[in-house]
Every structure is written in C-alpha cells, then in structure tokens.
Amino acid sequence: MTPSVSMASSQQCSINLNYGVIINPTHIRIVDRGQTQVQINNDDQLFIQGREQQLNEEQRLLFKQFSTGIREQFPEIVSIAIEGVDIGLKAVNEVIGGLTGENSASQQNVQAKFEELKWRIRTRFNQSANNYYIAPQDLNDFEELFAGEFEQEIEEVIQESIGTILKAVGQSLIKDDNRYEGGNGEERIATYDDRIAGMSKGLELAVSDRAKALEHKAKEYCEQLAELDSIESQLHQTIPALQSFNLIETN
C-alpha cells in the first residue's frame, strides 16, 4: 500500500457498525440482510419493523440528535476513504507536474487515473446526489476501507507514476547534457541520484504532513461516533423496541 494509506490506517477506532445504513435527503434506513428494520423519516418519525413508534417530546429531541448525527457523521467514512487515497496520489501528481509542467500529457494521464479511482470508491459507497449506503463494518482499522481491488489499483497507479517521474528526470538530464558539454558519466549519475533523492524527500514530507492531518481527522471521527453511540444507548433505555437493533457498538 502507499505510505499515506498505511499511516492513515494506523488510527484505531474500536467501533463496529452492526447494520447497513441507507441515507437520503428524506429518510434513513437501518438494514439487515437487505431488509429495512428501522426507518427514520424527516429526522423525527420512527418506524421499527414497519410499525410507527409514538414519541414524547423528550424522546423526539433525543431521537433528532441521533438521526442528525447519522446524517452528519456516517458520510464521513466516504470522505476519509477518498482522502486517504488522495494523499499519496496528489503528492505524486505534484512531483510529476513539477518535472513535466502543469497540465502536461503525463500529469493529465495520472490525474485521470486519480479521478477514476475516486469515482470507483464513491460507487462502492453508492454516493450520488446526497445518497449513501454504508455497509456493516468493523472500524478497528481504517485500512479495511482500502482493501481488495482498490489497494491493487493504487499500487498500479503509483508504479506507473514513478515510471513517469524517472522518464522525466532522464529527459531532463539529457537536455542538460546537450546544453552543457564536457560532463563525465559519474557526474551525470551523481546529478541523477541527487534529483531522485530530492524528489523522494519532498514526496515523503508532503505525504507525512497530509497523513498526520488525516489521522487527526480520523481520531475526531471516532470520538464523534462514540458520542453518537452514547446517544443511541440513551434511546435504547427510553425506547425498548430499539434495543434489538444496536447500530453502533463501541469495543
């Protein structure tokens, strides 16, 4: 995996999402094996297994906190997944742009691959026009968000990008040789090595700074989910029918 993904995924969340969640502008559905078990309409109307629950004012206020929290926080999983992928790829893209020029054919090619990959991640979460599907999952390790086919695609994009970088550096050295005669082979190799080392250091710094910011974001996200779990526990106490459907579980 890319260095950025590994650093971002080191943040331990220790939270499980026990059910799938479908979110759209008018309702939230908590789903088990394709069947809606809990439905929330307009953040204040509750149905459990198709039966509407009559809520008093205190329950309604607490319930609105819970549904609003789901709307605000659950889509952040998508944001964190995309940002984690984007960190390393953006850094590589910047290096390519610096070597080959902004909007060069090489940079545009890599950028197109970035956008395609992010689109595929959004598709995984069915994100479109404020519609989301978040599958049941264990958030103990954010690395799980990048597992499988995306990890392989990220590696392929990175490898291709490195090849583009090396080709650009080689072309630059050839131009230097044509511009300045008299340099020997050892000097050219040393210059080449220095440029590669400089690029690697710059790339590492760029990735490290962004990954630290993402780790902080992931930590805050987990704390917010833990607070939402606390609200859910209060709801379980006041609405016993909800106890069978524990959406958020803190380990």
Side-chain angles (χ1 to χ4, degrees), residues 104-125:
S104 66
S106 297
Q107 189 185 42
Q108 287 179 12
N109 181 53
V110 173
Q111 186 62 39
K113 291 183 179 295
F114 297 168
E115 295 304 322
E116 180 183 354
L117 184 58
K118 286 189 285 185
W119 178 83
R120 287 170 62 81
I121 292 172
R122 290 189 180 98
T123 300
R124 171 180 170 176
F125 292 99

PDB file of all heavy atoms in Angstrom, residues 104-125:
ATOM      1  N   SER A 104       0.677  18.920 -18.309  1.00  0.00           N
ATOM      2  CA  SER A 104       1.374  18.142 -19.335  1.00  0.00           C
ATOM      3  C   SER A 104       0.584  16.861 -19.592  1.00  0.00           C
ATOM      4  O   SER A 104      -0.295  16.476 -18.817  1.00  0.00           O
ATOM      5  CB  SER A 104       2.783  17.784 -18.866  1.00  0.00           C
ATOM      6  OG  SER A 104       2.710  16.898 -17.759  1.00  0.00           O
ATOM      7  N   ALA A 105       0.915  16.195 -20.691  1.00  0.00           N
ATOM      8  CA  ALA A 105       0.221  14.947 -21.017  1.00  0.00           C
ATOM      9  C   ALA A 105       0.414  13.912 -19.917  1.00  0.00           C
ATOM     10  O   ALA A 105      -0.518  13.190 -19.552  1.00  0.00           O
ATOM     11  CB  ALA A 105       0.733  14.410 -22.354  1.00  0.00           C
ATOM     12  N   SER A 106       1.631  13.851 -19.336  1.00  0.00           N
ATOM     13  CA  SER A 106       1.906  12.889 -18.271  1.00  0.00           C
ATOM     14  C   SER A 106       1.064  13.185 -17.039  1.00  0.00           C
ATOM     15  O   SER A 106       0.474  12.281 -16.435  1.00  0.00           O
ATOM     16  CB  SER A 106       3.395  12.934 -17.890  1.00  0.00           C
ATOM     17  OG  SER A 106       4.197  12.546 -18.976  1.00  0.00           O
ATOM     18  N   GLN A 107       1.002  14.458 -16.657  1.00  0.00           N
ATOM     19  CA  GLN A 107       0.228  14.811 -15.475  1.00  0.00           C
ATOM     20  C   GLN A 107      -1.266  14.577 -15.697  1.00  0.00           C
ATOM     21  O   GLN A 107      -1.972  14.076 -14.820  1.00  0.00           O
ATOM     22  CB  GLN A 107       0.468  16.272 -15.075  1.00  0.00           C
ATOM     23  CG  GLN A 107      -0.146  16.599 -13.715  1.00  0.00           C
ATOM     24  CD  GLN A 107      -0.033  18.057 -13.356  1.00  0.00           C
ATOM     25  OE1 GLN A 107      -0.242  18.919 -14.200  1.00  0.00           O
ATOM     26  NE2 GLN A 107       0.292  18.336 -12.116  1.00  0.00           N
ATOM     27  N   GLN A 108      -1.747  14.924 -16.862  1.00  0.00           N
ATOM     28  CA  GLN A 108      -3.168  14.719 -17.151  1.00  0.00           C
ATOM     29  C   GLN A 108      -3.524  13.240 -17.128  1.00  0.00           C
ATOM     30  O   GLN A 108      -4.598  12.856 -16.671  1.00  0.00           O
ATOM     31  CB  GLN A 108      -3.506  15.322 -18.520  1.00  0.00           C
ATOM     32  CG  GLN A 108      -3.533  16.847 -18.523  1.00  0.00           C
ATOM     33  CD  GLN A 108      -3.848  17.405 -19.898  1.00  0.00           C
ATOM     34  OE1 GLN A 108      -4.259  16.681 -20.787  1.00  0.00           O
ATOM     35  NE2 GLN A 108      -3.653  18.707 -20.073  1.00  0.00           N
ATOM     36  N   ASN A 109      -2.616  12.398 -17.607  1.00  0.00           N
ATOM     37  CA  ASN A 109      -2.858  10.958 -17.603  1.00  0.00           C
ATOM     38  C   ASN A 109      -2.978  10.420 -16.178  1.00  0.00           C
ATOM     39  O   ASN A 109      -3.901   9.654 -15.860  1.00  0.00           O
ATOM     40  CB  ASN A 109      -1.720  10.237 -18.330  1.00  0.00           C
ATOM     41  CG  ASN A 109      -1.929   8.739 -18.377  1.00  0.00           C
ATOM     42  OD1 ASN A 109      -2.968   8.250 -18.798  1.00  0.00           O
ATOM     43  ND2 ASN A 109      -0.922   8.001 -17.934  1.00  0.00           N
ATOM     44  N   VAL A 110      -2.058  10.842 -15.305  1.00  0.00           N
ATOM     45  CA  VAL A 110      -2.098  10.395 -13.914  1.00  0.00           C
ATOM     46  C   VAL A 110      -3.328  10.954 -13.208  1.00  0.00           C
ATOM     47  O   VAL A 110      -4.008  10.256 -12.458  1.00  0.00           O
ATOM     48  CB  VAL A 110      -0.805  10.810 -13.180  1.00  0.00           C
ATOM     49  CG1 VAL A 110      -0.906  10.503 -11.689  1.00  0.00           C
ATOM     50  CG2 VAL A 110       0.394  10.088 -13.783  1.00  0.00           C
ATOM     51  N   GLN A 111      -3.630  12.228 -13.452  1.00  0.00           N
ATOM     52  CA  GLN A 111      -4.792  12.850 -12.826  1.00  0.00           C
ATOM     53  C   GLN A 111      -6.081  12.129 -13.219  1.00  0.00           C
ATOM     54  O   GLN A 111      -6.979  11.943 -12.385  1.00  0.00           O
ATOM     55  CB  GLN A 111      -4.884  14.322 -13.226  1.00  0.00           C
ATOM     56  CG  GLN A 111      -5.982  15.104 -12.512  1.00  0.00           C
ATOM     57  CD  GLN A 111      -5.766  15.156 -11.017  1.00  0.00           C
ATOM     58  OE1 GLN A 111      -4.644  15.302 -10.544  1.00  0.00           O
ATOM     59  NE2 GLN A 111      -6.853  15.023 -10.258  1.00  0.00           N
ATOM     60  N   ALA A 112      -6.169  11.709 -14.473  1.00  0.00           N
ATOM     61  CA  ALA A 112      -7.361  10.981 -14.924  1.00  0.00           C
ATOM     62  C   ALA A 112      -7.515   9.673 -14.160  1.00  0.00           C
ATOM     63  O   ALA A 112      -8.631   9.272 -13.808  1.00  0.00           O
ATOM     64  CB  ALA A 112      -7.258  10.708 -16.424  1.00  0.00           C
ATOM     65  N   LYS A 113      -6.406   9.024 -13.863  1.00  0.00           N
ATOM     66  CA  LYS A 113      -6.463   7.779 -13.094  1.00  0.00           C
ATOM     67  C   LYS A 113      -6.896   8.050 -11.657  1.00  0.00           C
ATOM     68  O   LYS A 113      -7.632   7.254 -11.061  1.00  0.00           O
ATOM     69  CB  LYS A 113      -5.094   7.079 -13.129  1.00  0.00           C
ATOM     70  CG  LYS A 113      -4.732   6.525 -14.502  1.00  0.00           C
ATOM     71  CD  LYS A 113      -3.422   5.776 -14.458  1.00  0.00           C
ATOM     72  CE  LYS A 113      -3.087   5.208 -15.830  1.00  0.00           C
ATOM     73  NZ  LYS A 113      -4.044   4.181 -16.253  1.00  0.00           N
ATOM     74  N   PHE A 114      -6.443   9.185 -11.085  1.00  0.00           N
ATOM     75  CA  PHE A 114      -6.882   9.556  -9.731  1.00  0.00           C
ATOM     76  C   PHE A 114      -8.397   9.700  -9.691  1.00  0.00           C
ATOM     77  O   PHE A 114      -9.076   9.179  -8.812  1.00  0.00           O
ATOM     78  CB  PHE A 114      -6.273  10.887  -9.297  1.00  0.00           C
ATOM     79  CG  PHE A 114      -4.771  10.896  -9.181  1.00  0.00           C
ATOM     80  CD1 PHE A 114      -4.099  12.094  -9.042  1.00  0.00           C
ATOM     81  CD2 PHE A 114      -4.040   9.720  -9.215  1.00  0.00           C
ATOM     82  CE1 PHE A 114      -2.720  12.126  -8.933  1.00  0.00           C
ATOM     83  CE2 PHE A 114      -2.665   9.744  -9.115  1.00  0.00           C
ATOM     84  CZ  PHE A 114      -2.000  10.946  -8.975  1.00  0.00           C
ATOM     85  N   GLU A 115      -8.923  10.449 -10.658  1.00  0.00           N
ATOM     86  CA  GLU A 115     -10.353  10.740 -10.662  1.00  0.00           C
ATOM     87  C   GLU A 115     -11.170   9.466 -10.858  1.00  0.00           C
ATOM     88  O   GLU A 115     -12.227   9.295 -10.230  1.00  0.00           O
ATOM     89  CB  GLU A 115     -10.682  11.754 -11.769  1.00  0.00           C
ATOM     90  CG  GLU A 115     -10.057  13.128 -11.551  1.00  0.00           C
ATOM     91  CD  GLU A 115     -10.448  13.735 -10.219  1.00  0.00           C
ATOM     92  OE1 GLU A 115     -11.611  13.574  -9.791  1.00  0.00           O
ATOM     93  OE2 GLU A 115      -9.590  14.387  -9.581  1.00  0.00           O
ATOM     94  N   GLU A 116     -10.671   8.567 -11.707  1.00  0.00           N
ATOM     95  CA  GLU A 116     -11.382   7.301 -11.920  1.00  0.00           C
ATOM     96  C   GLU A 116     -11.412   6.468 -10.641  1.00  0.00           C
ATOM     97  O   GLU A 116     -12.444   5.887 -10.279  1.00  0.00           O
ATOM     98  CB  GLU A 116     -10.709   6.508 -13.040  1.00  0.00           C
ATOM     99  CG  GLU A 116     -11.401   5.173 -13.317  1.00  0.00           C
ATOM    100  CD  GLU A 116     -10.685   4.353 -14.383  1.00  0.00           C
ATOM    101  OE1 GLU A 116      -9.718   4.862 -14.978  1.00  0.00           O
ATOM    102  OE2 GLU A 116     -11.103   3.204 -14.597  1.00  0.00           O
ATOM    103  N   LEU A 117     -10.289   6.441  -9.927  1.00  0.00           N
ATOM    104  CA  LEU A 117     -10.213   5.672  -8.692  1.00  0.00           C
ATOM    105  C   LEU A 117     -11.155   6.243  -7.636  1.00  0.00           C
ATOM    106  O   LEU A 117     -11.861   5.504  -6.938  1.00  0.00           O
ATOM    107  CB  LEU A 117      -8.773   5.659  -8.182  1.00  0.00           C
ATOM    108  CG  LEU A 117      -8.492   4.812  -6.943  1.00  0.00           C
ATOM    109  CD1 LEU A 117      -8.883   3.359  -7.176  1.00  0.00           C
ATOM    110  CD2 LEU A 117      -7.024   4.908  -6.563  1.00  0.00           C
ATOM    111  N   LYS A 118     -11.192   7.563  -7.498  1.00  0.00           N
ATOM    112  CA  LYS A 118     -12.093   8.188  -6.517  1.00  0.00           C
ATOM    113  C   LYS A 118     -13.550   7.926  -6.890  1.00  0.00           C
ATOM    114  O   LYS A 118     -14.391   7.707  -6.006  1.00  0.00           O
ATOM    115  CB  LYS A 118     -11.807   9.688  -6.427  1.00  0.00           C
ATOM    116  CG  LYS A 118     -10.513   9.998  -5.687  1.00  0.00           C
ATOM    117  CD  LYS A 118     -10.343  11.471  -5.413  1.00  0.00           C
ATOM    118  CE  LYS A 118      -9.956  12.229  -6.649  1.00  0.00           C
ATOM    119  NZ  LYS A 118      -9.664  13.655  -6.367  1.00  0.00           N
ATOM    120  N   TRP A 119     -13.844   7.930  -8.180  1.00  0.00           N
ATOM    121  CA  TRP A 119     -15.210   7.618  -8.612  1.00  0.00           C
ATOM    122  C   TRP A 119     -15.585   6.199  -8.224  1.00  0.00           C
ATOM    123  O   TRP A 119     -16.702   5.945  -7.773  1.00  0.00           O
ATOM    124  CB  TRP A 119     -15.313   7.798 -10.125  1.00  0.00           C
ATOM    125  CG  TRP A 119     -16.671   7.443 -10.658  1.00  0.00           C
ATOM    126  CD1 TRP A 119     -17.789   8.224 -10.693  1.00  0.00           C
ATOM    127  CD2 TRP A 119     -17.051   6.183 -11.230  1.00  0.00           C
ATOM    128  NE1 TRP A 119     -18.847   7.539 -11.248  1.00  0.00           N
ATOM    129  CE2 TRP A 119     -18.430   6.278 -11.587  1.00  0.00           C
ATOM    130  CE3 TRP A 119     -16.381   4.993 -11.481  1.00  0.00           C
ATOM    131  CZ2 TRP A 119     -19.115   5.228 -12.163  1.00  0.00           C
ATOM    132  CZ3 TRP A 119     -17.072   3.936 -12.059  1.00  0.00           C
ATOM    133  CH2 TRP A 119     -18.418   4.068 -12.396  1.00  0.00           C
ATOM    134  N   ARG A 120     -14.641   5.266  -8.356  1.00  0.00           N
ATOM    135  CA  ARG A 120     -14.909   3.879  -8.002  1.00  0.00           C
ATOM    136  C   ARG A 120     -15.141   3.728  -6.501  1.00  0.00           C
ATOM    137  O   ARG A 120     -15.971   2.919  -6.071  1.00  0.00           O
ATOM    138  CB  ARG A 120     -13.754   2.984  -8.470  1.00  0.00           C
ATOM    139  CG  ARG A 120     -13.721   2.791  -9.982  1.00  0.00           C
ATOM    140  CD  ARG A 120     -12.444   2.108 -10.423  1.00  0.00           C
ATOM    141  NE  ARG A 120     -12.315   0.793  -9.852  1.00  0.00           N
ATOM    142  CZ  ARG A 120     -12.914  -0.296 -10.328  1.00  0.00           C
ATOM    143  NH1 ARG A 120     -13.699  -0.204 -11.396  1.00  0.00           N
ATOM    144  NH2 ARG A 120     -12.733  -1.468  -9.775  1.00  0.00           N
ATOM    145  N   ILE A 121     -14.421   4.512  -5.690  1.00  0.00           N
ATOM    146  CA  ILE A 121     -14.641   4.463  -4.240  1.00  0.00           C
ATOM    147  C   ILE A 121     -16.032   4.991  -3.905  1.00  0.00           C
ATOM    148  O   ILE A 121     -16.763   4.412  -3.097  1.00  0.00           O
ATOM    149  CB  ILE A 121     -13.556   5.279  -3.499  1.00  0.00           C
ATOM    150  CG1 ILE A 121     -12.204   4.582  -3.643  1.00  0.00           C
ATOM    151  CG2 ILE A 121     -13.914   5.437  -2.019  1.00  0.00           C
ATOM    152  CD1 ILE A 121     -11.048   5.388  -3.112  1.00  0.00           C
ATOM    153  N   ARG A 122     -16.409   6.107  -4.531  1.00  0.00           N
ATOM    154  CA  ARG A 122     -17.750   6.654  -4.290  1.00  0.00           C
ATOM    155  C   ARG A 122     -18.822   5.639  -4.699  1.00  0.00           C
ATOM    156  O   ARG A 122     -19.846   5.490  -4.036  1.00  0.00           O
ATOM    157  CB  ARG A 122     -17.944   7.958  -5.050  1.00  0.00           C
ATOM    158  CG  ARG A 122     -17.134   9.115  -4.513  1.00  0.00           C
ATOM    159  CD  ARG A 122     -17.524  10.420  -5.171  1.00  0.00           C
ATOM    160  NE  ARG A 122     -16.749  11.528  -4.646  1.00  0.00           N
ATOM    161  CZ  ARG A 122     -15.673  12.026  -5.229  1.00  0.00           C
ATOM    162  NH1 ARG A 122     -15.248  11.505  -6.374  1.00  0.00           N
ATOM    163  NH2 ARG A 122     -15.027  13.036  -4.691  1.00  0.00           N
ATOM    164  N   THR A 123     -18.573   4.940  -5.797  1.00  0.00           N
ATOM    165  CA  THR A 123     -19.530   3.930  -6.256  1.00  0.00           C
ATOM    166  C   THR A 123     -19.654   2.810  -5.234  1.00  0.00           C
ATOM    167  O   THR A 123     -20.746   2.282  -4.997  1.00  0.00           O
ATOM    168  CB  THR A 123     -19.085   3.350  -7.613  1.00  0.00           C
ATOM    169  OG1 THR A 123     -19.008   4.412  -8.569  1.00  0.00           O
ATOM    170  CG2 THR A 123     -20.063   2.313  -8.119  1.00  0.00           C
ATOM    171  N   ARG A 124     -18.541   2.455  -4.605  1.00  0.00           N
ATOM    172  CA  ARG A 124     -18.573   1.416  -3.565  1.00  0.00           C
ATOM    173  C   ARG A 124     -19.544   1.794  -2.456  1.00  0.00           C
ATOM    174  O   ARG A 124     -20.233   0.952  -1.894  1.00  0.00           O
ATOM    175  CB  ARG A 124     -17.169   1.220  -2.993  1.00  0.00           C
ATOM    176  CG  ARG A 124     -17.124   0.328  -1.755  1.00  0.00           C
ATOM    177  CD  ARG A 124     -15.717   0.173  -1.233  1.00  0.00           C
ATOM    178  NE  ARG A 124     -15.713  -0.481   0.062  1.00  0.00           N
ATOM    179  CZ  ARG A 124     -14.610  -0.809   0.718  1.00  0.00           C
ATOM    180  NH1 ARG A 124     -13.434  -0.560   0.197  1.00  0.00           N
ATOM    181  NH2 ARG A 124     -14.682  -1.381   1.893  1.00  0.00           N
ATOM    182  N   PHE A 125     -19.598   3.079  -2.136  1.00  0.00           N
ATOM    183  CA  PHE A 125     -20.494   3.550  -1.079  1.00  0.00           C
ATOM    184  C   PHE A 125     -21.813   4.078  -1.647  1.00  0.00           C
ATOM    185  O   PHE A 125     -22.605   4.675  -0.932  1.00  0.00           O
ATOM    186  CB  PHE A 125     -19.819   4.655  -0.261  1.00  0.00           C
ATOM    187  CG  PHE A 125     -18.662   4.165   0.560  1.00  0.00           C
ATOM    188  CD1 PHE A 125     -17.361   4.333   0.114  1.00  0.00           C
ATOM    189  CD2 PHE A 125     -18.874   3.544   1.777  1.00  0.00           C
ATOM    190  CE1 PHE A 125     -16.286   3.889   0.870  1.00  0.00           C
ATOM    191  CE2 PHE A 125     -17.807   3.092   2.535  1.00  0.00           C
ATOM    192  CZ  PHE A 125     -16.509   3.266   2.080  1.00  0.00           C
TER     193      PHE A 125
END
